[in-house]
Amino acid sequence: MSGHCGPAATRTVTGTNRLALVGSPNSGKSTLFNALTGLRTKTGNYPGVTVARYEGTARVGEHEVVIEDLPGTYSLDPISPDEQVVADVLDPDNPELGTPDAILVTIDATTLRRSLGLLAQVMQTGLPLCVVLTFRDELTRRGGTLDVAALRRALGVPVIGVTSGSRNDLAQLQSMLLDPAAWERPVLPPPTDPSQRRAWVESLLRSAAYEVPEADHRTRRIDAVLLHPLWGTLVFFATMFAFFQIIFTVAAPLQDAVQSVFDWLGTLVTDYVSNPLLAGFLGNALIGGVGGVVVFLPQIALLFLMISVLEGSGYLSRAAFLMDRIMAKAGLEGRAFVALLSSLACAIPGIMATRSLPSAKDRFATMMAAPLMTCSARLTVYVLLTGLLVGPGTTVGPFGAQGVVMFALYLLGAVSAMATAWVFKRFSSRSGPVLPFYMEMPSYRMPRPRTVAEAMWSACKGFLQKVGRIILLVTVALWLLLSLPTHSDAQLRSAGVNPADRTAVSAYEVNHSYAAGIGHAMEPVFEPLGFDWRINVGVLGSLSAREVFVATLGQVAAAQNPDQPAKTLAHMTYTDGPHQGQKLFTPATTAALLVFFLYALQCMSTIGVMRRETGSWRWPAVAFGYMFVLAWTMAFLTHTVVGLLA
Amino acid sequence: MLSVQVGERQKADASVPAVPAPDARLADLRPGTSGRVTAIDEAVEPSTARRLFDLGFAPGAEVTVLRKAPLGDPVVFQVAEYEVALRRVQAAGIHVRRMA
């Protein structure tokens, strides 16, 4: 496991202290990590969010301290791969990972009794440690009390209370980071025997005058509704449904704004660039292709805004709680729900989140299922195709038809993922112990705007980087394939095309390009689904990243009719073959294409991360194979059924 | 293994229908009632038993059943001043003494 956990933690500069952050999930560990290092990692209210290993550098005056954010854990007796990482890092006898110089243990003041058990285990490592007490404000709100100075005396280690957002508390902690060797050490390590340890915890709580906080009445009142058998279920579905309606209604005007910027850039190219090849490159490859993808930035931002708010508020744990029984039907458990839900953003964090699954069988089953969840890259393809399938004004009852179609696609993806997990669980070997399911239900908290903003920012940044690198590269390559070879006027005339008619020339050149050759070569496979060579080229290009499909169609449309690329797509017709002259994006073909993208593993990054997480090419090969077969079959069925209905 | 024990327990319950036996499994407690943990069942895997202990289900700890999920499973418990959801299978491995 440890070999896959990001950058190796080594002492780069002699004299630079390396500190490890240890704490249970939800103890405010990642928030503290962000505050200390400024390095952005996702933080939230959901237990088990930090599964990858994060390292950052905290600047204290002129010095630097390396801080490693270890996965959240309830115990140093590991039962999952990510807990194993914690135990290994803190084990001085484990030479592979390098023992930290000191440990910061975050402890949620409202769950002190449980957290002291973990602290006892960490203290047994004998490393210098400092307790960072979080959520004291919440303890006070709920009527609990705690004498921090007395706790410090009783423990014999430094204890520092931090309130999130307080610079004073943070400065006090930062000043300590430079010299862990000087930290106070306990005279005796805590007892290891369970009953003696309980007595140790109780005596500490007494010494620290710990008044047990009242039950969180606010959380109880909210849960009475949100976890109610009837209302809770309704709220869950309403929340999920609202999710998709918002992505459309709120994003639409923002997308129009982005589109108009690119349209304006397009007119600049037409007006000022006279070289036809350069104009084609700028207008079609860059503005048509890349611009067509950047238009989806508002939707990506909104998606991550909502996931981050749900996570930060504590509702995501409730959703997992409500879904656990349904997950059990697929042989999985609540933690797999987190992985699948993360896959709504991107399959990569989803696959990485499977590290929190204790059972290897569950891990592989979830990993095979995760790429079927509708990721944000599919979103771009879905938006484009849904727009072709149903008009923006169409409604189903009070709801926009596009939102309904999107909801159905997300639902179908989720159901298919569950079915896949079930199949893989069913046909895997039955050995290995049944591991327990437990999930902390955190108090409802207001999501921190900074955390939400950071999640949105990093998602948008990642998206734009992807656009700037891989999508740009593939777009340029596709543009070359679509534009070459060039044809002389004589060749055009001999083919019956008037060289003065710009639209006709563009159409002729695209139809006789290298790309057309490749697309035609793929026809035997995709012809039954209604795809023509242009869609085939898009499908091929989308193997690098699904968004490229949108860019390709944008380019094809712009190349075939440079004056009105937006309208071209809807009215595109088959250029040859038995359906020549008929509309290409019929409901049957569009629906088949949607279904194809729903099932196909058109993402090299996902394949790469699967290889890394499983350590062999076997699982990624299995995933690619089964998903392609499923995609083709389902798309064929869809094409046939919709074709009969329409 | 567990199902056999649940069967025996149901027989025991049937013999005293009026007053519920004070000793029970955590999974048998109704929402709103509490129990004090007496032991983790010996049939529970040692690693699972250890984790339940670390989560706060230690002998002597007071546990309150807060609510069941709409489909009956899992169940939210309050233990050690926080809330945690367990599946009924896990809760059936925890012996408790009912509290008034």
Side-chain angles (χ1 to χ4, degrees), chain A residues 75 83 220 324 438-439, chain B residues 51 54 78 82-83 85 87:
Chain A
S75 167
E83 290 180 0
R220 289 278 167 86
D324 180 68
Y438 56 87
M439 187 169 62
Chain B
R51 179 50 51 98
D54 285 327
Q78 171 162 328
Y82 79 109
E83 294 178 15
R87 280 193 184 161

Side-chain angles (χ1 to χ4, degrees), chain A residues 171-234:
Chain A
Q172 196 195 350
L173 180 61
Q174 278 169 330
S175 66
M176 292 196 55
L177 298 181
L178 290 177
D179 196 9
W183 292 354
E184 193 184 346
R185 306 265 199 130
V187 185
L188 286 171
T192 46
D193 174 73
S195 64
Q196 284 178 23
R197 205 181 86 188
R198 272 176 51 76
W200 179 79
V201 168
E202 293 305 324
S203 82
L204 279 173
L205 293 174
R206 267 196 310 279
S207 319
Y210 184 59
E211 282 293 326
V212 171
E214 289 174 26
D216 187 351
H217 294 299
R218 187 175 68 184
T219 293
R220 289 278 167 86
R221 276 198 301 272
I222 299 172
D223 272 343
V225 179
L226 294 190
L227 297 183
H228 185 273
L230 177 62
W231 306 126
T233 311
L234 287 177

Side-chain angles (χ1 to χ4, degrees), chain A residues 48-63:
Chain A
V49 108
T50 317
V51 271
R53 182 171 172 183
Y54 296 98
E55 216 177 62
T57 308
R59 287 201 67 87
V60 186
E62 291 170 7
H63 300 277

